[in-house]
Amino acid sequence: MQKVTKETYIKWYEDMLFWRKFEDKLAAVYIQQKVRGFLHLYNGQEAVLAGALHAMDLTKDKMITAYRNHVQPIGMGVDPKRVMAELFGKATGTSQGLGGSMHIFSKEHRFYGGHGIVGGQIPLGAGIAFGDKFHGVDGVTICCFGDGAARQGSLHETFNLAMLWKLPVVFVCENNGYAMGTSVARTANHTDIWKLGLGYEMPCGPVDGMNPIKVAEAFDEAIQRARRGDGPTFLEVKTYRYRGHSMSDAQHYRTKDEVKEYKKLDPITQVKDIILAEEYATEDELKVIDKRVKDLVAECEKFADESPYPDKNVMYDVVYDQEDYPFIDHKIK
């Protein structure tokens, strides 16, 4: 893993702050109905991505996740203007406006979604890793899912085959405590989700998901293990989301005081405090970063606002009737 330096902390601060403000803007425009459908925000979980990216090799490693997926592609190199345009349903978006909030995707930057089916990305993540191993590609797949998805049967099927075939994949449960709105304690007889790996003799363990250094260290060990050919790891990254499951979530399952307590662990504040304490930057220098972040968010909104909607015909370009499709007799009426 690259050494954690002054520059690392400055980058973490700017990246996490941008991700937070980017999604705060999405929440605002959602109320204005510029973004439609569902909207699941990542506020509070930014240290997971910051730490993961520090340990990854973005020239060959891949990532796949669930529907809380707006900032991950940005971290992996996708133009944030195109991500916001996708959420606005515009032609300049990452999927020409056809995917929307839950389906951000970039083959170029090795980000494979964005999946609306709960746990659907878990076997897909193992499949991507299988492809790399089969073709001799020295890449590792980071496969993220929430605590709710950890209850899916497909997780167990995937864990079994991933260990059997020693696939280069890191399974990451971003445990933010409540899934869609039900606490971990109410969905299983155990609250240590990481222990699910023990049944498959898969290296596993808990990680402090509010601290990017702890995340980076755990991811580095897991990624190096996978790259050596020693197979998968399962990490339960314990984090917290400050907003509801989605914009329609009334959050009756938790108190405002609980959220307030967790905000004392805000990863952005933690990193900022270290920067100031270690004199990596002054308050004035951080204000320059703050303004740069604010300006970039405004650019993203302007770009998305001014972009055209896709032509209706585009929707039909990816839906087709293949005349020579096997097993179907087109002569049958």
Side-chain angles (χ1 to χ4, degrees):
M1 184 179 76
Q2 305 172 59
K3 187 178 179 181
V4 177
T5 63
K6 164 187 170 180
E7 289 72 26
T8 306
Y9 277 102
I10 299 294
K11 178 174 171 52
W12 277 346
Y13 176 75
E14 184 163 356
D15 284 350
M16 291 195 294
L17 184 64
F18 175 69
W19 301 335
R20 178 76 58 87
K21 297 301 181 184
F22 183 90
E23 292 209 313
D24 285 346
K25 176 57 69 175
L26 290 177
V29 297
Y30 185 88
I31 295 170
Q32 299 170 25
Q33 296 189 340
K34 291 182 179 180
V35 173
R36 305 294 185 95
F38 293 101
L39 183 66
H40 308 84
L41 302 178
Y42 205 64
N43 296 46
Q45 300 182 213
E46 293 89 354
V48 184
L49 179 59
L53 293 174
H54 186 74
M56 293 171 67
D57 183 339
L58 296 184
T59 66
K60 55 188 174 183
D61 293 340
K62 303 170 181 67
M63 183 178 288
I64 187 170
T65 188
Y67 38 72
R68 209 175 298 279
N69 72 134
H70 314 131
V71 298
Q72 292 91 338
I74 295 172
M76 295 188 72
V78 178
D79 185 341
K81 293 195 287 293
R82 294 194 65 212
V83 174
M84 188 164 285
E86 184 61 37
L87 281 137
F88 275 56
K90 297 299 185 72
T92 54
T94 52
S95 297
Q96 299 181 70
L98 302 181
S101 169
M102 294 197 285
H103 305 287
I104 311 297
F105 185 94
S106 175
K107 182 179 179 181
E108 176 189 359
H109 295 283
R110 291 166 289 281
F111 181 74
Y112 293 94
H115 293 268
I117 302 299
V118 176
Q121 74 278 18
I122 300 174
L124 295 179
I128 295 168
F130 177 85
D132 279 348
K133 182 167 184 175
F134 185 84
H135 293 290
V137 176
D138 183 31
V140 175
T141 299
I142 307 299
C143 179
C144 301
F145 51 92
D147 45 290
R151 311 310 181 191
Q152 292 287 343
S154 59
L155 174 142
H156 296 278
E157 297 170 349
T158 302
F159 277 17
N160 182 54
L161 289 178
M163 281 299 292
L164 181 65
W165 294 334
K166 294 292 184 286
L167 299 182
V169 57
V170 180
F171 296 108
V172 182
C173 175
E174 294 185 81
N175 180 3
N176 58 30
Y178 290 102
M180 184 173 176
T182 305
S183 70
V184 171
R186 294 182 60 199
T187 59
N189 188 45
H190 62 91
T191 55
D192 293 321
I193 295 176
W194 63 269
K195 291 181 179 178
L196 291 175
L198 297 176
Y200 303 92
E201 298 185 1
M202 184 186 297
C204 53
V207 182
D208 177 2
M210 305 303 276
N211 185 330
I213 293 180
K214 297 294 185 183
V215 174
E217 290 173 347
F219 270 74
D220 179 64
E221 182 180 350
I223 288 170
Q224 295 310 318
R225 177 184 295 120
R227 220 183 295 284
R228 288 194 305 267
D230 293 339
T233 300
F234 177 37
L235 302 176
E236 179 192 356
V237 184
K238 298 188 177 184
T239 183
Y240 196 83
R241 54 172 167 79
Y242 294 146
R243 291 183 178 269
H245 170 71
S246 69
M247 288 294 289
S248 59
D249 182 3
Q251 305 182 60
H252 294 310
Y253 47 84
R254 64 182 182 181
T255 65
K256 291 181 179 179
D257 286 341
E258 178 183 305
V259 178
K260 186 177 179 181
E261 282 300 306
Y262 272 98
K263 283 189 175 181
K264 293 177 181 178
L265 302 174
D266 192 323
I268 299 174
T269 303
Q270 286 192 55
V271 167
K272 181 179 180 179
D273 288 345
I274 291 172
I275 289 172
L276 294 173
E278 297 294 330
E279 298 183 349
Y280 293 154
T282 64
E283 285 278 11
D284 287 341
E285 288 170 330
L286 291 181
K287 286 178 181 177
V288 172
I289 293 176
D290 295 350
K291 184 179 186 307
R292 188 159 63 233
V293 163
K294 182 179 179 181
D295 290 345
L296 182 53
V297 171
E299 285 179 32
C300 292
E301 182 185 14
K302 185 174 186 291
F303 177 81
D305 253 333
E306 295 177 352
S307 293
Y309 285 103
D311 186 89
K312 287 184 180 179
N313 289 333
V314 173
M315 290 188 290
Y316 298 101
D317 288 345
V318 291
V319 181
Y320 59 92
D321 179 19
Q322 183 175 325
E323 291 295 333
D324 59 346
Y325 194 82
F327 315 121
I328 294 180
D329 186 347
H330 285 264
K331 295 179 182 178
I332 297 176
K333 301 296 183 183

